[in-house]
Amino acid sequence: MNDDPVSHGLATVRERLAAAEAAAGRAAGSVQLLAVSKTKPIEAVRAAYALGQLDFGENQLQDALPKLDAMAGTPTRWYFIGPVQGNKTRPVAERFDWVLSVDRERVARRLDAQRPVERGPLNVCLQFNVSGEETKSGVTLEDLEPLCAVVNDLPNLALRGLMAIPAPSSDLQVQRASFAAVREAYESLGTAGYALDTLSMGMTDDLEAAVAEGSTMVRIGTAIFGARARPAGAT
Ligand SMILES: *Cc1c(COP(=O)(O)O)cnc(C)c1O
């Protein structure tokens, strides 16, 4: 179709996503595609935007802010997906549309306090540490419901759901088991009365497993934009 690498990558990912939706018996277009542009230049964002991609994920402020500036005035939506440092919440609260990586009450309260009211509530997913690794970011299962309760009561945050990054595995069944555990946590929060609509799971190497287990938002970097030159934080 087109020799441009981003155009090729995006087309390939759109095909993978459509095939995964069909294989899971889910409606076409029911899984949202978040393009993870972290570490990539603004030209890559512009190329994806020209092909209709509106949702972009970033995990480091200094890398992200010039891109948000460059795309100001477009209908793009920006998702913060990296660890949120307690002393750097303000630009996240002011500039982003979503934060997928909230895992502490203190950060949630600061984001709420610093969100400009005229921008409307900041959309938030709690990052669930499904693999239970002590060093990784994310809320444990036992702390999940209490943090939901806190965030749900903050007026300038809109609690939308969960995000998870399971420990990598090349085994489809292992991938599915991790994602199933995230879905179960998500469903039990729904049963507990939280009105959630976003289950963000699935990256380049486990998109199919995540869609099979009910993901509503995959986050794809490498398969769209190519390999990253430097590891950027979260993964
Ligand atoms: C980098 C990153 C991704 C994208 O990973 P790929 O394997 O390149 O698709 C998704 N989610 C988060 C939180 C990330 O940090």
Side-chain angles (χ1 to χ4, degrees):
M1 271 171 62
N2 191 320
D3 288 340
D4 171 64
V6 171
S7 133
H8 177 77
L10 190 57
T12 304
V13 168
R14 284 172 172 166
E15 281 166 25
R16 274 179 70 186
L17 194 50
E21 286 167 340
R26 301 182 55 190
S30 56
V31 181
Q32 197 185 350
L33 174 59
L34 177 62
V36 177
S37 49
K38 67 186 185 191
T39 81
K40 296 294 176 179
I42 184 62
E43 290 74 24
V45 171
R46 287 195 206 281
Y49 175 61
L51 297 161
Q53 179 65 34
L54 295 181
D55 297 290
F56 293 92
E58 292 282 338
N59 75 341
Q60 284 182 356
L61 270 174
Q62 70 274 24
D63 181 32
L65 292 179
K67 296 180 222 178
L68 272 71
D69 288 341
M71 299 305 283
T74 69
T76 50
R77 293 175 288 257
W78 293 86
Y79 296 64
F80 196 82
I81 62 173
V84 190
Q85 288 165 292
N87 58 346
K88 290 194 185 155
T89 49
R90 185 175 295 279
V92 175
E94 290 180 348
R95 302 294 307 277
F96 281 79
D97 301 290
W98 288 68
V99 181
L100 299 187
S101 44
V102 170
D103 64 0
R104 276 169 294 158
E105 176 172 343
R106 174 163 168 269
V107 162
R109 290 194 184 281
R110 289 179 66 100
L111 290 170
D112 175 68
Q114 294 168 343
R115 177 69 171 174
V117 174
E118 65 275 12
R119 288 216 55 188
L122 177 65
N123 296 295
V124 163
C125 286
L126 303 185
Q127 183 173 347
F128 174 39
N129 183 356
V130 61
S131 301
E133 292 158 88
E134 300 245 328
T135 53
K136 282 230 176 142
S137 345
V139 197
T140 60
L141 186 58
E142 62 176 8
D143 292 337
L144 201 51
E145 200 281 331
L147 188 57
C148 268
V150 168
V151 172
N152 206 40
D153 281 345
L154 295 174
N156 300 313
L157 301 185
L159 179 63
R160 301 294 296 268
L162 298 183
M163 187 274 270
I165 312 171
S169 166
S170 55
D171 181 329
L172 183 72
Q173 294 314 316
V174 174
Q175 293 175 356
R176 284 194 64 156
S178 300
F179 290 136
V182 185
R183 176 174 42 76
E184 282 158 24
Y186 175 79
E187 285 170 350
S188 64
L189 292 168
T191 305
Y194 297 98
L196 307 180
D197 62 7
T198 304
L199 181 54
S200 178
M201 51 189 201
M203 316 198 316
T204 290
D205 290 332
D206 52 18
L207 176 160
E208 285 77 11
V211 170
E213 294 297 341
S215 173
T216 70
M217 181 198 287
V218 293
R219 309 176 310 273
I220 310 295
T222 306
I224 297 175
F225 297 111
R228 285 177 294 275
R230 58 185 163 92
T235 55

PDB file of all heavy atoms in Angstrom, residues 181-216:
ATOM      1  N   ALA A 181      -7.018 -12.708  34.680  1.00  0.00           N
ATOM      2  CA  ALA A 181      -7.008 -12.241  36.067  1.00  0.00           C
ATOM      3  C   ALA A 181      -7.321 -10.743  36.143  1.00  0.00           C
ATOM      4  O   ALA A 181      -8.007 -10.287  37.062  1.00  0.00           O
ATOM      5  CB  ALA A 181      -5.655 -12.539  36.714  1.00  0.00           C
ATOM      6  N   VAL A 182      -6.830  -9.980  35.177  1.00  0.00           N
ATOM      7  CA  VAL A 182      -7.140  -8.544  35.152  1.00  0.00           C
ATOM      8  C   VAL A 182      -8.632  -8.345  34.880  1.00  0.00           C
ATOM      9  O   VAL A 182      -9.307  -7.546  35.539  1.00  0.00           O
ATOM     10  CB  VAL A 182      -6.309  -7.796  34.074  1.00  0.00           C
ATOM     11  CG1 VAL A 182      -6.578  -6.294  34.164  1.00  0.00           C
ATOM     12  CG2 VAL A 182      -4.819  -8.068  34.229  1.00  0.00           C
ATOM     13  N   ARG A 183      -9.142  -9.103  33.908  1.00  0.00           N
ATOM     14  CA  ARG A 183     -10.577  -8.986  33.599  1.00  0.00           C
ATOM     15  C   ARG A 183     -11.431  -9.336  34.806  1.00  0.00           C
ATOM     16  O   ARG A 183     -12.443  -8.686  35.097  1.00  0.00           O
ATOM     17  CB  ARG A 183     -10.944  -9.879  32.411  1.00  0.00           C
ATOM     18  CG  ARG A 183     -12.435  -9.878  32.120  1.00  0.00           C
ATOM     19  CD  ARG A 183     -12.820 -10.645  30.871  1.00  0.00           C
ATOM     20  NE  ARG A 183     -12.125 -11.906  30.697  1.00  0.00           N
ATOM     21  CZ  ARG A 183     -12.373 -13.031  31.367  1.00  0.00           C
ATOM     22  NH1 ARG A 183     -13.318 -13.058  32.292  1.00  0.00           N
ATOM     23  NH2 ARG A 183     -11.678 -14.128  31.140  1.00  0.00           N
ATOM     24  N   GLU A 184     -11.034 -10.376  35.554  1.00  0.00           N
ATOM     25  CA  GLU A 184     -11.819 -10.755  36.729  1.00  0.00           C
ATOM     26  C   GLU A 184     -11.835  -9.639  37.772  1.00  0.00           C
ATOM     27  O   GLU A 184     -12.872  -9.360  38.381  1.00  0.00           O
ATOM     28  CB  GLU A 184     -11.280 -12.063  37.324  1.00  0.00           C
ATOM     29  CG  GLU A 184     -11.756 -13.274  36.517  1.00  0.00           C
ATOM     30  CD  GLU A 184     -10.881 -14.511  36.695  1.00  0.00           C
ATOM     31  OE1 GLU A 184     -10.193 -14.616  37.736  1.00  0.00           O
ATOM     32  OE2 GLU A 184     -10.878 -15.360  35.777  1.00  0.00           O
ATOM     33  N   ALA A 185     -10.679  -9.003  37.967  1.00  0.00           N
ATOM     34  CA  ALA A 185     -10.623  -7.882  38.923  1.00  0.00           C
ATOM     35  C   ALA A 185     -11.526  -6.744  38.440  1.00  0.00           C
ATOM     36  O   ALA A 185     -12.280  -6.138  39.222  1.00  0.00           O
ATOM     37  CB  ALA A 185      -9.188  -7.388  39.081  1.00  0.00           C
ATOM     38  N   TYR A 186     -11.471  -6.469  37.145  1.00  0.00           N
ATOM     39  CA  TYR A 186     -12.293  -5.413  36.537  1.00  0.00           C
ATOM     40  C   TYR A 186     -13.781  -5.724  36.720  1.00  0.00           C
ATOM     41  O   TYR A 186     -14.575  -4.869  37.119  1.00  0.00           O
ATOM     42  CB  TYR A 186     -11.906  -5.338  35.063  1.00  0.00           C
ATOM     43  CG  TYR A 186     -12.694  -4.395  34.189  1.00  0.00           C
ATOM     44  CD1 TYR A 186     -12.436  -3.027  34.188  1.00  0.00           C
ATOM     45  CD2 TYR A 186     -13.652  -4.883  33.291  1.00  0.00           C
ATOM     46  CE1 TYR A 186     -13.128  -2.165  33.342  1.00  0.00           C
ATOM     47  CE2 TYR A 186     -14.337  -4.035  32.440  1.00  0.00           C
ATOM     48  CZ  TYR A 186     -14.076  -2.670  32.477  1.00  0.00           C
ATOM     49  OH  TYR A 186     -14.757  -1.827  31.629  1.00  0.00           O
ATOM     50  N   GLU A 187     -14.135  -6.976  36.460  1.00  0.00           N
ATOM     51  CA  GLU A 187     -15.545  -7.353  36.584  1.00  0.00           C
ATOM     52  C   GLU A 187     -16.010  -7.288  38.032  1.00  0.00           C
ATOM     53  O   GLU A 187     -17.148  -6.906  38.320  1.00  0.00           O
ATOM     54  CB  GLU A 187     -15.778  -8.752  35.996  1.00  0.00           C
ATOM     55  CG  GLU A 187     -15.755  -8.719  34.474  1.00  0.00           C
ATOM     56  CD  GLU A 187     -15.748 -10.102  33.826  1.00  0.00           C
ATOM     57  OE1 GLU A 187     -15.575 -11.116  34.558  1.00  0.00           O
ATOM     58  OE2 GLU A 187     -15.901 -10.169  32.588  1.00  0.00           O
ATOM     59  N   SER A 188     -15.133  -7.653  38.959  1.00  0.00           N
ATOM     60  CA  SER A 188     -15.597  -7.633  40.349  1.00  0.00           C
ATOM     61  C   SER A 188     -15.770  -6.197  40.837  1.00  0.00           C
ATOM     62  O   SER A 188     -16.639  -5.921  41.666  1.00  0.00           O
ATOM     63  CB  SER A 188     -14.703  -8.470  41.259  1.00  0.00           C
ATOM     64  OG  SER A 188     -13.432  -7.921  41.306  1.00  0.00           O
ATOM     65  N   LEU A 189     -14.984  -5.272  40.285  1.00  0.00           N
ATOM     66  CA  LEU A 189     -15.207  -3.860  40.627  1.00  0.00           C
ATOM     67  C   LEU A 189     -16.548  -3.388  40.056  1.00  0.00           C
ATOM     68  O   LEU A 189     -17.267  -2.608  40.704  1.00  0.00           O
ATOM     69  CB  LEU A 189     -14.060  -2.988  40.100  1.00  0.00           C
ATOM     70  CG  LEU A 189     -12.711  -3.212  40.798  1.00  0.00           C
ATOM     71  CD1 LEU A 189     -11.581  -2.537  40.019  1.00  0.00           C
ATOM     72  CD2 LEU A 189     -12.743  -2.711  42.239  1.00  0.00           C
ATOM     73  N   GLY A 190     -16.891  -3.883  38.878  1.00  0.00           N
ATOM     74  CA  GLY A 190     -18.200  -3.565  38.303  1.00  0.00           C
ATOM     75  C   GLY A 190     -19.311  -4.083  39.201  1.00  0.00           C
ATOM     76  O   GLY A 190     -20.290  -3.375  39.494  1.00  0.00           O
ATOM     77  N   THR A 191     -19.153  -5.309  39.661  1.00  0.00           N
ATOM     78  CA  THR A 191     -20.147  -5.907  40.562  1.00  0.00           C
ATOM     79  C   THR A 191     -20.258  -5.118  41.857  1.00  0.00           C
ATOM     80  O   THR A 191     -21.335  -4.988  42.435  1.00  0.00           O
ATOM     81  CB  THR A 191     -19.747  -7.370  40.872  1.00  0.00           C
ATOM     82  OG1 THR A 191     -19.581  -8.056  39.643  1.00  0.00           O
ATOM     83  CG2 THR A 191     -20.797  -8.067  41.715  1.00  0.00           C
ATOM     84  N   ALA A 192     -19.113  -4.546  42.282  1.00  0.00           N
ATOM     85  CA  ALA A 192     -19.110  -3.755  43.523  1.00  0.00           C
ATOM     86  C   ALA A 192     -19.747  -2.381  43.332  1.00  0.00           C
ATOM     87  O   ALA A 192     -19.849  -1.607  44.288  1.00  0.00           O
ATOM     88  CB  ALA A 192     -17.688  -3.602  44.050  1.00  0.00           C
ATOM     89  N   GLY A 193     -20.125  -2.062  42.067  1.00  0.00           N
ATOM     90  CA  GLY A 193     -20.879  -0.831  41.846  1.00  0.00           C
ATOM     91  C   GLY A 193     -20.130   0.279  41.124  1.00  0.00           C
ATOM     92  O   GLY A 193     -20.697   1.347  40.892  1.00  0.00           O
ATOM     93  N   TYR A 194     -18.883   0.044  40.772  1.00  0.00           N
ATOM     94  CA  TYR A 194     -18.143   1.077  40.027  1.00  0.00           C
ATOM     95  C   TYR A 194     -18.522   0.996  38.552  1.00  0.00           C
ATOM     96  O   TYR A 194     -18.532  -0.095  37.973  1.00  0.00           O
ATOM     97  CB  TYR A 194     -16.631   0.884  40.206  1.00  0.00           C
ATOM     98  CG  TYR A 194     -16.209   1.055  41.642  1.00  0.00           C
ATOM     99  CD1 TYR A 194     -16.026  -0.057  42.466  1.00  0.00           C
ATOM    100  CD2 TYR A 194     -16.037   2.322  42.181  1.00  0.00           C
ATOM    101  CE1 TYR A 194     -15.668   0.089  43.800  1.00  0.00           C
ATOM    102  CE2 TYR A 194     -15.686   2.480  43.513  1.00  0.00           C
ATOM    103  CZ  TYR A 194     -15.497   1.365  44.314  1.00  0.00           C
ATOM    104  OH  TYR A 194     -15.167   1.512  45.632  1.00  0.00           O
ATOM    105  N   ALA A 195     -18.816   2.157  37.954  1.00  0.00           N
ATOM    106  CA  ALA A 195     -19.213   2.190  36.542  1.00  0.00           C
ATOM    107  C   ALA A 195     -17.965   2.357  35.680  1.00  0.00           C
ATOM    108  O   ALA A 195     -17.542   3.467  35.386  1.00  0.00           O
ATOM    109  CB  ALA A 195     -20.189   3.342  36.303  1.00  0.00           C
ATOM    110  N   LEU A 196     -17.354   1.247  35.330  1.00  0.00           N
ATOM    111  CA  LEU A 196     -16.101   1.271  34.569  1.00  0.00           C
ATOM    112  C   LEU A 196     -16.370   0.872  33.122  1.00  0.00           C
ATOM    113  O   LEU A 196     -17.246   0.055  32.847  1.00  0.00           O
ATOM    114  CB  LEU A 196     -15.095   0.290  35.186  1.00  0.00           C
ATOM    115  CG  LEU A 196     -14.831   0.455  36.688  1.00  0.00           C
ATOM    116  CD1 LEU A 196     -13.817  -0.582  37.169  1.00  0.00           C
ATOM    117  CD2 LEU A 196     -14.357   1.861  37.015  1.00  0.00           C
ATOM    118  N   ASP A 197     -15.594   1.464  32.196  1.00  0.00           N
ATOM    119  CA  ASP A 197     -15.769   1.090  30.789  1.00  0.00           C
ATOM    120  C   ASP A 197     -14.453   0.843  30.057  1.00  0.00           C
ATOM    121  O   ASP A 197     -14.461   0.650  28.848  1.00  0.00           O
ATOM    122  CB  ASP A 197     -16.584   2.161  30.044  1.00  0.00           C
ATOM    123  CG  ASP A 197     -15.903   3.528  30.025  1.00  0.00           C
ATOM    124  OD1 ASP A 197     -14.748   3.644  30.473  1.00  0.00           O
ATOM    125  OD2 ASP A 197     -16.539   4.485  29.555  1.00  0.00           O
ATOM    126  N   THR A 198     -13.329   0.871  30.791  1.00  0.00           N
ATOM    127  CA  THR A 198     -12.046   0.762  30.106  1.00  0.00           C
ATOM    128  C   THR A 198     -11.159  -0.293  30.750  1.00  0.00           C
ATOM    129  O   THR A 198     -10.821  -0.203  31.934  1.00  0.00           O
ATOM    130  CB  THR A 198     -11.320   2.128  30.120  1.00  0.00           C
ATOM    131  OG1 THR A 198     -12.185   3.111  29.528  1.00  0.00           O
ATOM    132  CG2 THR A 198     -10.023   2.056  29.335  1.00  0.00           C
ATOM    133  N   LEU A 199     -10.821  -1.298  29.955  1.00  0.00           N
ATOM    134  CA  LEU A 199      -9.921  -2.359  30.395  1.00  0.00           C
ATOM    135  C   LEU A 199      -8.734  -2.311  29.432  1.00  0.00           C
ATOM    136  O   LEU A 199      -8.812  -2.830  28.314  1.00  0.00           O
ATOM    137  CB  LEU A 199     -10.652  -3.697  30.339  1.00  0.00           C
ATOM    138  CG  LEU A 199      -9.910  -4.953  30.782  1.00  0.00           C
ATOM    139  CD1 LEU A 199      -9.330  -4.807  32.178  1.00  0.00           C
ATOM    140  CD2 LEU A 199     -10.852  -6.155  30.731  1.00  0.00           C
ATOM    141  N   SER A 200      -7.673  -1.608  29.854  1.00  0.00           N
ATOM    142  CA  SER A 200      -6.548  -1.369  28.940  1.00  0.00           C
ATOM    143  C   SER A 200      -5.482  -2.424  29.139  1.00  0.00           C
ATOM    144  O   SER A 200      -4.732  -2.404  30.118  1.00  0.00           O
ATOM    145  CB  SER A 200      -5.960   0.022  29.140  1.00  0.00           C
ATOM    146  OG  SER A 200      -4.849   0.187  28.259  1.00  0.00           O
ATOM    147  N   MET A 201      -5.417  -3.357  28.212  1.00  0.00           N
ATOM    148  CA  MET A 201      -4.386  -4.390  28.268  1.00  0.00           C
ATOM    149  C   MET A 201      -4.091  -4.879  26.861  1.00  0.00           C
ATOM    150  O   MET A 201      -4.962  -4.867  25.997  1.00  0.00           O
ATOM    151  CB  MET A 201      -4.793  -5.532  29.215  1.00  0.00           C
ATOM    152  CG  MET A 201      -6.159  -6.130  28.980  1.00  0.00           C
ATOM    153  SD  MET A 201      -6.615  -7.273  30.316  1.00  0.00           S
ATOM    154  CE  MET A 201      -7.888  -8.254  29.460  1.00  0.00           C
ATOM    155  N   GLY A 202      -2.839  -5.273  26.641  1.00  0.00           N
ATOM    156  CA  GLY A 202      -2.395  -5.729  25.335  1.00  0.00           C
ATOM    157  C   GLY A 202      -1.414  -4.749  24.722  1.00  0.00           C
ATOM    158  O   GLY A 202      -1.706  -3.560  24.625  1.00  0.00           O
ATOM    159  N   MET A 203      -0.228  -5.260  24.364  1.00  0.00           N
ATOM    160  CA  MET A 203       0.809  -4.472  23.716  1.00  0.00           C
ATOM    161  C   MET A 203       1.229  -5.235  22.445  1.00  0.00           C
ATOM    162  O   MET A 203       0.529  -6.144  22.011  1.00  0.00           O
ATOM    163  CB  MET A 203       1.981  -4.252  24.681  1.00  0.00           C
ATOM    164  CG  MET A 203       1.492  -3.873  26.083  1.00  0.00           C
ATOM    165  SD  MET A 203       2.680  -3.093  27.204  1.00  0.00           S
ATOM    166  CE  MET A 203       4.132  -4.040  27.004  1.00  0.00           C
ATOM    167  N   THR A 204       2.342  -4.820  21.853  1.00  0.00           N
ATOM    168  CA  THR A 204       2.742  -5.423  20.578  1.00  0.00           C
ATOM    169  C   THR A 204       2.795  -6.953  20.630  1.00  0.00           C
ATOM    170  O   THR A 204       2.336  -7.628  19.704  1.00  0.00           O
ATOM    171  CB  THR A 204       4.107  -4.847  20.142  1.00  0.00           C
ATOM    172  OG1 THR A 204       3.918  -3.476  19.777  1.00  0.00           O
ATOM    173  CG2 THR A 204       4.695  -5.615  18.960  1.00  0.00           C
ATOM    174  N   ASP A 205       3.353  -7.501  21.725  1.00  0.00           N
ATOM    175  CA  ASP A 205       3.590  -8.944  21.748  1.00  0.00           C
ATOM    176  C   ASP A 205       2.433  -9.767  22.306  1.00  0.00           C
ATOM    177  O   ASP A 205       2.520 -11.001  22.343  1.00  0.00           O
ATOM    178  CB  ASP A 205       4.865  -9.248  22.556  1.00  0.00           C
ATOM    179  CG  ASP A 205       6.110  -8.768  21.816  1.00  0.00           C
ATOM    180  OD1 ASP A 205       6.072  -8.715  20.565  1.00  0.00           O
ATOM    181  OD2 ASP A 205       7.093  -8.434  22.493  1.00  0.00           O
ATOM    182  N   ASP A 206       1.386  -9.109  22.798  1.00  0.00           N
ATOM    183  CA  ASP A 206       0.296  -9.907  23.387  1.00  0.00           C
ATOM    184  C   ASP A 206      -1.089  -9.326  23.082  1.00  0.00           C
ATOM    185  O   ASP A 206      -2.042  -9.558  23.821  1.00  0.00           O
ATOM    186  CB  ASP A 206       0.511 -10.088  24.900  1.00  0.00           C
ATOM    187  CG  ASP A 206       0.740  -8.773  25.632  1.00  0.00           C
ATOM    188  OD1 ASP A 206       0.401  -7.703  25.081  1.00  0.00           O
ATOM    189  OD2 ASP A 206       1.250  -8.825  26.783  1.00  0.00           O
ATOM    190  N   LEU A 207      -1.166  -8.614  21.972  1.00  0.00           N
ATOM    191  CA  LEU A 207      -2.443  -8.003  21.562  1.00  0.00           C
ATOM    192  C   LEU A 207      -3.561  -9.042  21.449  1.00  0.00           C
ATOM    193  O   LEU A 207      -4.673  -8.843  21.959  1.00  0.00           O
ATOM    194  CB  LEU A 207      -2.217  -7.278  20.230  1.00  0.00           C
ATOM    195  CG  LEU A 207      -3.364  -6.613  19.465  1.00  0.00           C
ATOM    196  CD1 LEU A 207      -2.785  -5.576  18.499  1.00  0.00           C
ATOM    197  CD2 LEU A 207      -4.214  -7.572  18.682  1.00  0.00           C
ATOM    198  N   GLU A 208      -3.270 -10.157  20.776  1.00  0.00           N
ATOM    199  CA  GLU A 208      -4.320 -11.151  20.505  1.00  0.00           C
ATOM    200  C   GLU A 208      -4.878 -11.750  21.800  1.00  0.00           C
ATOM    201  O   GLU A 208      -6.094 -11.906  21.952  1.00  0.00           O
ATOM    202  CB  GLU A 208      -3.790 -12.249  19.586  1.00  0.00           C
ATOM    203  CG  GLU A 208      -3.643 -11.831  18.123  1.00  0.00           C
ATOM    204  CD  GLU A 208      -2.409 -10.960  17.815  1.00  0.00           C
ATOM    205  OE1 GLU A 208      -1.514 -10.839  18.697  1.00  0.00           O
ATOM    206  OE2 GLU A 208      -2.336 -10.401  16.704  1.00  0.00           O
ATOM    207  N   ALA A 209      -3.967 -12.078  22.738  1.00  0.00           N
ATOM    208  CA  ALA A 209      -4.415 -12.660  24.010  1.00  0.00           C
ATOM    209  C   ALA A 209      -5.277 -11.664  24.779  1.00  0.00           C
ATOM    210  O   ALA A 209      -6.287 -12.033  25.390  1.00  0.00           O
ATOM    211  CB  ALA A 209      -3.200 -13.086  24.849  1.00  0.00           C
ATOM    212  N   ALA A 210      -4.867 -10.404  24.743  1.00  0.00           N
ATOM    213  CA  ALA A 210      -5.610  -9.376  25.484  1.00  0.00           C
ATOM    214  C   ALA A 210      -7.008  -9.185  24.909  1.00  0.00           C
ATOM    215  O   ALA A 210      -7.985  -9.066  25.662  1.00  0.00           O
ATOM    216  CB  ALA A 210      -4.835  -8.055  25.455  1.00  0.00           C
ATOM    217  N   VAL A 211      -7.106  -9.164  23.593  1.00  0.00           N
ATOM    218  CA  VAL A 211      -8.428  -8.999  22.964  1.00  0.00           C
ATOM    219  C   VAL A 211      -9.301 -10.217  23.263  1.00  0.00           C
ATOM    220  O   VAL A 211     -10.494 -10.088  23.552  1.00  0.00           O
ATOM    221  CB  VAL A 211      -8.283  -8.737  21.454  1.00  0.00           C
ATOM    222  CG1 VAL A 211      -9.631  -8.797  20.746  1.00  0.00           C
ATOM    223  CG2 VAL A 211      -7.616  -7.370  21.221  1.00  0.00           C
ATOM    224  N   ALA A 212      -8.698 -11.392  23.253  1.00  0.00           N
ATOM    225  CA  ALA A 212      -9.455 -12.612  23.570  1.00  0.00           C
ATOM    226  C   ALA A 212     -10.007 -12.567  24.990  1.00  0.00           C
ATOM    227  O   ALA A 212     -11.064 -13.128  25.279  1.00  0.00           O
ATOM    228  CB  ALA A 212      -8.567 -13.848  23.385  1.00  0.00           C
ATOM    229  N   GLU A 213      -9.305 -11.863  25.883  1.00  0.00           N
ATOM    230  CA  GLU A 213      -9.740 -11.804  27.286  1.00  0.00           C
ATOM    231  C   GLU A 213     -10.508 -10.529  27.623  1.00  0.00           C
ATOM    232  O   GLU A 213     -10.726 -10.229  28.791  1.00  0.00           O
ATOM    233  CB  GLU A 213      -8.542 -11.970  28.225  1.00  0.00           C
ATOM    234  CG  GLU A 213      -7.894 -13.356  28.160  1.00  0.00           C
ATOM    235  CD  GLU A 213      -8.827 -14.491  28.606  1.00  0.00           C
ATOM    236  OE1 GLU A 213      -9.842 -14.221  29.294  1.00  0.00           O
ATOM    237  OE2 GLU A 213      -8.533 -15.649  28.252  1.00  0.00           O
ATOM    238  N   GLY A 214     -10.917  -9.786  26.608  1.00  0.00           N
ATOM    239  CA  GLY A 214     -11.846  -8.687  26.882  1.00  0.00           C
ATOM    240  C   GLY A 214     -11.264  -7.291  26.926  1.00  0.00           C
ATOM    241  O   GLY A 214     -11.964  -6.349  27.331  1.00  0.00           O
ATOM    242  N   SER A 215     -10.019  -7.111  26.505  1.00  0.00           N
ATOM    243  CA  SER A 215      -9.455  -5.757  26.470  1.00  0.00           C
ATOM    244  C   SER A 215     -10.362  -4.812  25.695  1.00  0.00           C
ATOM    245  O   SER A 215     -10.934  -5.181  24.660  1.00  0.00           O
ATOM    246  CB  SER A 215      -8.074  -5.783  25.794  1.00  0.00           C
ATOM    247  OG  SER A 215      -7.592  -4.459  25.606  1.00  0.00           O
ATOM    248  N   THR A 216     -10.478  -3.580  26.181  1.00  0.00           N
ATOM    249  CA  THR A 216     -11.199  -2.559  25.404  1.00  0.00           C
ATOM    250  C   THR A 216     -10.249  -1.526  24.825  1.00  0.00           C
ATOM    251  O   THR A 216     -10.672  -0.653  24.075  1.00  0.00           O
ATOM    252  CB  THR A 216     -12.253  -1.816  26.258  1.00  0.00           C
ATOM    253  OG1 THR A 216     -11.575  -0.982  27.212  1.00  0.00           O
ATOM    254  CG2 THR A 216     -13.189  -2.777  26.969  1.00  0.00           C
TER     255      THR A 216
END
